[in-house]
Amino acid sequence: MSLWNWLLVALAAFVILYASFVVVLVVAGRRESARALAGFIPDCVILCSRLLRDPRVPRRKKALLVALAGYLALPFDLIPDFIPVAGQFDDVIIVALVLRSLLRGGGEPLVRQHWPGPENSLALVLRVAA
């Protein structure tokens, strides 16, 4: 199987798992939580793109964000992504470390300014990064 096929399989598995979590929350009557979860990854993508365009973010932090995006796009990780939960755990740790570096450099006001999602999702991001 080629690299692109593995990438597509991993992406499809992730999307199915992600969508199933959203559906479970809707069925359980937690629509607000489902809406926050459904928008969490797009909100993170928007946050990173806004931070990359902001001239107040130092180049070193922008380089970390670009490296993070490259790492997350790779189909192979320390723990493969097709392994449920554990496969995404290493990604979460890397994201938290990059965000922690950004926040420790005085970037919390920037993150708050550029966060497009709900406040409770931002609180989760800040808590994971701290």
Side-chain angles (χ1 to χ4, degrees), residues 30-45:
R30 297 178 57 189
R31 291 191 183 276
E32 189 63 34
S33 297
R35 187 175 297 119
L37 179 62
F40 186 73
I41 290 177
D43 289 342
C44 289
V45 170

PDB file of all heavy atoms in Angstrom, residues 30-45:
ATOM      1  N   ARG A  30     -26.466  16.440  24.650  1.00  0.00           N
ATOM      2  CA  ARG A  30     -25.473  17.477  24.965  1.00  0.00           C
ATOM      3  C   ARG A  30     -25.094  18.222  23.684  1.00  0.00           C
ATOM      4  O   ARG A  30     -23.981  18.153  23.216  1.00  0.00           O
ATOM      5  CB  ARG A  30     -24.261  16.839  25.626  1.00  0.00           C
ATOM      6  CG  ARG A  30     -24.628  16.181  26.958  1.00  0.00           C
ATOM      7  CD  ARG A  30     -23.490  15.501  27.617  1.00  0.00           C
ATOM      8  NE  ARG A  30     -22.388  16.433  27.831  1.00  0.00           N
ATOM      9  CZ  ARG A  30     -21.190  16.054  28.237  1.00  0.00           C
ATOM     10  NH1 ARG A  30     -20.942  14.785  28.474  1.00  0.00           N
ATOM     11  NH2 ARG A  30     -20.238  16.937  28.402  1.00  0.00           N
ATOM     12  N   ARG A  31     -26.055  18.936  23.125  1.00  0.00           N
ATOM     13  CA  ARG A  31     -25.862  19.617  21.842  1.00  0.00           C
ATOM     14  C   ARG A  31     -24.761  20.673  21.895  1.00  0.00           C
ATOM     15  O   ARG A  31     -23.998  20.825  20.958  1.00  0.00           O
ATOM     16  CB  ARG A  31     -27.161  20.239  21.360  1.00  0.00           C
ATOM     17  CG  ARG A  31     -28.194  19.229  20.949  1.00  0.00           C
ATOM     18  CD  ARG A  31     -29.354  19.910  20.232  1.00  0.00           C
ATOM     19  NE  ARG A  31     -30.376  18.959  19.887  1.00  0.00           N
ATOM     20  CZ  ARG A  31     -30.353  18.202  18.800  1.00  0.00           C
ATOM     21  NH1 ARG A  31     -29.338  18.281  17.985  1.00  0.00           N
ATOM     22  NH2 ARG A  31     -31.326  17.366  18.546  1.00  0.00           N
ATOM     23  N   GLU A  32     -24.680  21.412  22.994  1.00  0.00           N
ATOM     24  CA  GLU A  32     -23.650  22.456  23.110  1.00  0.00           C
ATOM     25  C   GLU A  32     -22.258  21.837  23.112  1.00  0.00           C
ATOM     26  O   GLU A  32     -21.341  22.336  22.452  1.00  0.00           O
ATOM     27  CB  GLU A  32     -23.877  23.290  24.376  1.00  0.00           C
ATOM     28  CG  GLU A  32     -23.008  24.510  24.469  1.00  0.00           C
ATOM     29  CD  GLU A  32     -23.262  25.509  23.346  1.00  0.00           C
ATOM     30  OE1 GLU A  32     -24.407  25.643  22.898  1.00  0.00           O
ATOM     31  OE2 GLU A  32     -22.285  26.159  22.922  1.00  0.00           O
ATOM     32  N   SER A  33     -22.095  20.727  23.816  1.00  0.00           N
ATOM     33  CA  SER A  33     -20.808  20.033  23.822  1.00  0.00           C
ATOM     34  C   SER A  33     -20.495  19.461  22.442  1.00  0.00           C
ATOM     35  O   SER A  33     -19.347  19.499  21.997  1.00  0.00           O
ATOM     36  CB  SER A  33     -20.819  18.898  24.851  1.00  0.00           C
ATOM     37  OG  SER A  33     -20.981  19.408  26.141  1.00  0.00           O
ATOM     38  N   ALA A  34     -21.516  18.953  21.774  1.00  0.00           N
ATOM     39  CA  ALA A  34     -21.319  18.415  20.422  1.00  0.00           C
ATOM     40  C   ALA A  34     -20.892  19.514  19.465  1.00  0.00           C
ATOM     41  O   ALA A  34     -20.000  19.327  18.630  1.00  0.00           O
ATOM     42  CB  ALA A  34     -22.596  17.738  19.923  1.00  0.00           C
ATOM     43  N   ARG A  35     -21.521  20.674  19.577  1.00  0.00           N
ATOM     44  CA  ARG A  35     -21.166  21.801  18.703  1.00  0.00           C
ATOM     45  C   ARG A  35     -19.725  22.247  18.966  1.00  0.00           C
ATOM     46  O   ARG A  35     -18.969  22.529  18.042  1.00  0.00           O
ATOM     47  CB  ARG A  35     -22.132  22.954  18.931  1.00  0.00           C
ATOM     48  CG  ARG A  35     -21.947  24.101  17.969  1.00  0.00           C
ATOM     49  CD  ARG A  35     -23.004  25.193  18.134  1.00  0.00           C
ATOM     50  NE  ARG A  35     -24.335  24.669  17.842  1.00  0.00           N
ATOM     51  CZ  ARG A  35     -25.332  24.631  18.724  1.00  0.00           C
ATOM     52  NH1 ARG A  35     -25.167  25.076  19.955  1.00  0.00           N
ATOM     53  NH2 ARG A  35     -26.502  24.150  18.388  1.00  0.00           N
ATOM     54  N   ALA A  36     -19.326  22.282  20.233  1.00  0.00           N
ATOM     55  CA  ALA A  36     -17.957  22.683  20.580  1.00  0.00           C
ATOM     56  C   ALA A  36     -16.949  21.664  20.058  1.00  0.00           C
ATOM     57  O   ALA A  36     -15.905  22.037  19.521  1.00  0.00           O
ATOM     58  CB  ALA A  36     -17.822  22.848  22.088  1.00  0.00           C
ATOM     59  N   LEU A  37     -17.255  20.373  20.196  1.00  0.00           N
ATOM     60  CA  LEU A  37     -16.351  19.334  19.709  1.00  0.00           C
ATOM     61  C   LEU A  37     -16.258  19.348  18.191  1.00  0.00           C
ATOM     62  O   LEU A  37     -15.176  19.205  17.626  1.00  0.00           O
ATOM     63  CB  LEU A  37     -16.804  17.952  20.196  1.00  0.00           C
ATOM     64  CG  LEU A  37     -15.959  16.776  19.737  1.00  0.00           C
ATOM     65  CD1 LEU A  37     -14.531  16.913  20.270  1.00  0.00           C
ATOM     66  CD2 LEU A  37     -16.573  15.462  20.174  1.00  0.00           C
ATOM     67  N   ALA A  38     -17.390  19.539  17.527  1.00  0.00           N
ATOM     68  CA  ALA A  38     -17.392  19.554  16.063  1.00  0.00           C
ATOM     69  C   ALA A  38     -16.547  20.700  15.509  1.00  0.00           C
ATOM     70  O   ALA A  38     -15.927  20.574  14.456  1.00  0.00           O
ATOM     71  CB  ALA A  38     -18.822  19.659  15.537  1.00  0.00           C
ATOM     72  N   GLY A  39     -16.514  21.805  16.220  1.00  0.00           N
ATOM     73  CA  GLY A  39     -15.761  22.954  15.738  1.00  0.00           C
ATOM     74  C   GLY A  39     -14.359  23.074  16.295  1.00  0.00           C
ATOM     75  O   GLY A  39     -13.625  23.997  15.929  1.00  0.00           O
ATOM     76  N   PHE A  40     -13.948  22.158  17.172  1.00  0.00           N
ATOM     77  CA  PHE A  40     -12.668  22.306  17.861  1.00  0.00           C
ATOM     78  C   PHE A  40     -11.482  22.261  16.906  1.00  0.00           C
ATOM     79  O   PHE A  40     -10.615  23.132  16.944  1.00  0.00           O
ATOM     80  CB  PHE A  40     -12.522  21.234  18.944  1.00  0.00           C
ATOM     81  CG  PHE A  40     -11.308  21.415  19.788  1.00  0.00           C
ATOM     82  CD1 PHE A  40     -11.260  22.429  20.722  1.00  0.00           C
ATOM     83  CD2 PHE A  40     -10.208  20.604  19.639  1.00  0.00           C
ATOM     84  CE1 PHE A  40     -10.139  22.626  21.506  1.00  0.00           C
ATOM     85  CE2 PHE A  40      -9.079  20.780  20.415  1.00  0.00           C
ATOM     86  CZ  PHE A  40      -9.050  21.804  21.347  1.00  0.00           C
ATOM     87  N   ILE A  41     -11.420  21.266  16.044  1.00  0.00           N
ATOM     88  CA  ILE A  41     -10.283  21.156  15.122  1.00  0.00           C
ATOM     89  C   ILE A  41     -10.275  22.314  14.127  1.00  0.00           C
ATOM     90  O   ILE A  41      -9.225  22.932  13.928  1.00  0.00           O
ATOM     91  CB  ILE A  41     -10.252  19.781  14.437  1.00  0.00           C
ATOM     92  CG1 ILE A  41      -9.883  18.723  15.480  1.00  0.00           C
ATOM     93  CG2 ILE A  41      -9.266  19.759  13.275  1.00  0.00           C
ATOM     94  CD1 ILE A  41      -9.871  17.314  14.981  1.00  0.00           C
ATOM     95  N   PRO A  42     -11.421  22.661  13.510  1.00  0.00           N
ATOM     96  CA  PRO A  42     -11.389  23.857  12.651  1.00  0.00           C
ATOM     97  C   PRO A  42     -10.980  25.122  13.395  1.00  0.00           C
ATOM     98  O   PRO A  42     -10.258  25.959  12.842  1.00  0.00           O
ATOM     99  CB  PRO A  42     -12.830  23.958  12.135  1.00  0.00           C
ATOM    100  CG  PRO A  42     -13.353  22.571  12.196  1.00  0.00           C
ATOM    101  CD  PRO A  42     -12.697  21.957  13.404  1.00  0.00           C
ATOM    102  N   ASP A  43     -11.406  25.252  14.655  1.00  0.00           N
ATOM    103  CA  ASP A  43     -11.002  26.420  15.440  1.00  0.00           C
ATOM    104  C   ASP A  43      -9.494  26.441  15.657  1.00  0.00           C
ATOM    105  O   ASP A  43      -8.858  27.498  15.602  1.00  0.00           O
ATOM    106  CB  ASP A  43     -11.717  26.439  16.795  1.00  0.00           C
ATOM    107  CG  ASP A  43     -13.193  26.751  16.675  1.00  0.00           C
ATOM    108  OD1 ASP A  43     -13.611  27.274  15.624  1.00  0.00           O
ATOM    109  OD2 ASP A  43     -13.934  26.463  17.637  1.00  0.00           O
ATOM    110  N   CYS A  44      -8.901  25.282  15.908  1.00  0.00           N
ATOM    111  CA  CYS A  44      -7.448  25.202  16.098  1.00  0.00           C
ATOM    112  C   CYS A  44      -6.700  25.550  14.810  1.00  0.00           C
ATOM    113  O   CYS A  44      -5.666  26.223  14.850  1.00  0.00           O
ATOM    114  CB  CYS A  44      -7.042  23.811  16.581  1.00  0.00           C
ATOM    115  SG  CYS A  44      -7.542  23.474  18.281  1.00  0.00           S
ATOM    116  N   VAL A  45      -7.227  25.109  13.678  1.00  0.00           N
ATOM    117  CA  VAL A  45      -6.606  25.434  12.388  1.00  0.00           C
ATOM    118  C   VAL A  45      -6.671  26.936  12.138  1.00  0.00           C
ATOM    119  O   VAL A  45      -5.681  27.561  11.727  1.00  0.00           O
ATOM    120  CB  VAL A  45      -7.282  24.645  11.242  1.00  0.00           C
ATOM    121  CG1 VAL A  45      -6.827  25.141   9.885  1.00  0.00           C
ATOM    122  CG2 VAL A  45      -7.010  23.155  11.400  1.00  0.00           C
TER     123      VAL A  45
END
